Each structure stands twice: as structure tokens, then as C-alpha cells.
Amino acid sequence: MVKENTIIIKNDQIAKDIYEMTLEVNFEAKPGQFINIDVNNAEFLLRRPISIANIEGNRLTICYRNVGKGTNELRKKSVGELVNILGPLGNGFPLVSSQKVLIVGAGMGVAPMYYLAKELSKNNNQISIVLGYNDDKLAYYTDKFKDFGEVNIVTMDGSLGKKANVIEFLENNEIDFNVLYACGPGIVLKSLDQKYQSKKMGYLSYEERMACGIGACYGCVIQTNKGLQRVCKDGPIFNLGAVKYE
């Protein structure tokens, strides 16, 4: 883990309210890890945790949705500006080899699955991908995944791909796989966990409100079969069946 000032190489809008930022960094990262980024505004005491969408050489890419004051500050940043980041944080996805893999990404959970798909594609895996969005205006990275496997796109309103959410799609379409990887809203992860925990091997990436990002504040604990664990430090990746739901 390092704390460093990084140069913004790119900060472009790629869908409605969704932006892609590329930073120059001096560390390596695993799929599923994240950074904590300082928006450089005295109004915001806490950093913003954002998943790593890709890393190539010294260029790290994140995607974020402009939904509040913090991310709106990020949106205003220009190429050449410096931002301070802490990372890489959390545990990455375990990578398998020579398996039939299903990758599920929903909403902003699509972004970290790109780096994962890229790395899994190097290990002789057969990859199936399901990407879910609310509508076509919020869809991003839909073409990028085509390099790694068969891509199925679903939207809630049917404006792109099939009309369904990712859970409905999987209920109605048979996909042959041994290992599941997923990231998305909590309700999606809960449904996937309950559906596959006794049937498949798999890993889910969870999100909680993170204050420090390094496990010191215990602000992001969840109940697991090992007791209370910190999403930022013990996660954000948890095995299927590990998390206990209310």
C-alpha cells in the first residue's frame, strides 16, 4: 500500500453521469482491489473508495458515477492535475485457471470486472459475462468485454440487450460454469449468494461505507461466518456463503 500524488491522464464522461479517470501510479494491483482518493477539497474529510477498473504498466483506471458532492469534485478535475490516492487496498479476486467462469457485473460493479476478465482470459478460462444496467444511457464498457468471452447485456427497461435484471436473466438462461465472480448492488450479491452458495465455487465483491479504507475504524463491518469482518481490510472479496444476511 502506498500513498502518493498522482497525475490525472484522463477524465472523460463515458455514459450518463459516469466518468473514466486514468492516473499515473507507481504500484501494481490485483483485480478486485480499490483505491481511496482524496478529492482535494477541505469540505470533505474522508477519501472516496473506488474500485480499480484496469491497470496497465503505470496507468491505473477507475470509473465513478457523479452522484454526490465528492464525485462531482472528481468530475471537475482536469488532465494534468494532481490527486492524492491511497492504494492498492483490500484483497483481490483469487484467479482460477482452465475453468468455466461466469462474471456478473451490475451498475458500477461492471467496472472492476473488466480488469478481472482481462486477467482471467490469460489463464485458459472459458468466460461467460453478464452485464446489467438500468438503461442504455447508463451502459458503459459493453464492447470492452467482448475480447474475453461471450457477453450478455441486460437492462431493466429493455433499452439495450434483453429486458431483465441479472438475476432474472440467470433464472431464465442456462449458463454452464464452475466458478462465479460478481460485483454489484447488495441485493444482487445476496441473490447470487443464495442461489449458488451450495452449488458453485465463487467470489463476490461487496461495498459498504468506508471511512479509512485500511481497517482501522471498523466502519464497514459485516456479519460473516467468521464473525464481524471489515469489508475494506478482510474483503472486499468474500467467498460464496461467507456473508450472513439479515
Side-chain angles (χ1 to χ4, degrees):
M1 179 184 68
V2 299
K3 182 180 180 181
E4 64 180 23
N5 289 318
T6 61
I7 297 174
I8 298 174
I9 299 171
K10 177 182 178 181
N11 192 21
D12 295 338
Q13 186 171 1
I14 57 174
K16 181 183 178 183
D17 296 328
I18 297 175
Y19 293 78
E20 182 184 64
M21 178 182 283
T22 300
L23 305 166
E24 187 174 293
V25 299
N26 295 303
F27 57 78
E28 297 180 353
K30 300 175 182 177
Q33 291 187 296
F34 65 96
I35 62 170
N36 247 9
I37 186 167
D38 187 346
V39 298
N40 296 340
N41 187 316
E43 181 181 350
F44 306 104
L45 297 177
L46 301 178
R47 294 168 177 263
R48 267 48 186 176
I50 302 179
S51 298
I52 296 170
N54 193 25
I55 188 165
E56 290 186 5
N58 66 343
R59 296 197 168 193
L60 179 147
T61 298
I62 58 174
C63 295
Y64 63 94
R65 187 174 180 185
N66 181 23
V67 292
K69 291 183 178 180
T71 47
N72 191 48
E73 287 296 312
L74 284 182
R75 177 189 65 82
K76 297 175 184 177
K77 301 295 182 187
S78 301
V79 171
E81 282 192 59
L82 291 176
V83 291
N84 188 270
I85 66 171
L86 188 66
L89 301 173
N91 298 299
F93 285 106
L95 301 181
V96 298
S97 300
S98 303
Q99 298 291 329
K100 294 180 180 179
V101 171
L102 172 61
I103 291 176
V104 178
M108 293 312 300
V110 168
M113 308 314 277
Y114 174 76
Y115 185 25
L116 172 67
K118 185 180 77 170
E119 294 303 297
L120 286 174
S121 70
K122 300 175 182 178
N123 296 345
N124 194 37
N125 292 297
Q126 179 182 319
I127 303 174
S128 299
I129 302 159
V130 180
L131 307 178
Y133 310 91
N134 281 341
D135 57 48
D136 60 340
K137 295 181 178 61
L138 292 170
Y140 65 101
Y141 276 22
T142 53
D143 291 331
K144 282 179 170 285
F145 282 87
K146 294 178 180 177
D147 293 334
F148 311 127
E150 178 185 356
V151 179
N152 301 279
I153 297 172
V154 298
T155 51
M156 297 291 288
D157 65 354
S159 55
L160 183 67
K162 293 189 176 182
K163 184 177 181 180
N165 59 46
V166 293
I167 303 302
E168 291 170 339
F169 178 83
L170 292 172
E171 291 285 353
N172 296 318
N173 295 270
E174 189 69 29
I175 296 180
D176 183 21
F177 71 97
N178 307 111
V179 185
L180 169 69
Y181 293 91
C183 184
I187 190 170
V188 172
L189 300 183
K190 179 180 179 180
S191 296
L192 289 170
D193 204 355
Q194 293 175 337
K195 180 176 176 62
Y196 294 117
Q197 64 177 256
S198 60
K199 304 173 183 176
K200 306 286 184 180
M201 182 171 73
Y203 309 97
L204 308 178
S205 177
Y206 286 83
E207 293 183 357
E208 288 290 330
R209 291 186 179 275
M210 299 178 189
C212 69
I214 58 174
C217 72
Y218 283 77
C220 61
V221 295
I222 59 173
Q223 188 67 246
T224 74
N225 53 21
K226 295 182 179 179
L228 290 176
Q229 290 192 292
R230 301 158 294 180
V231 171
C232 69
K233 184 72 172 180
D234 303 308
I237 313 303
F238 292 92
N239 293 354
L240 279 175
V243 173
K244 294 184 177 180
Y245 306 95
E246 294 181 358

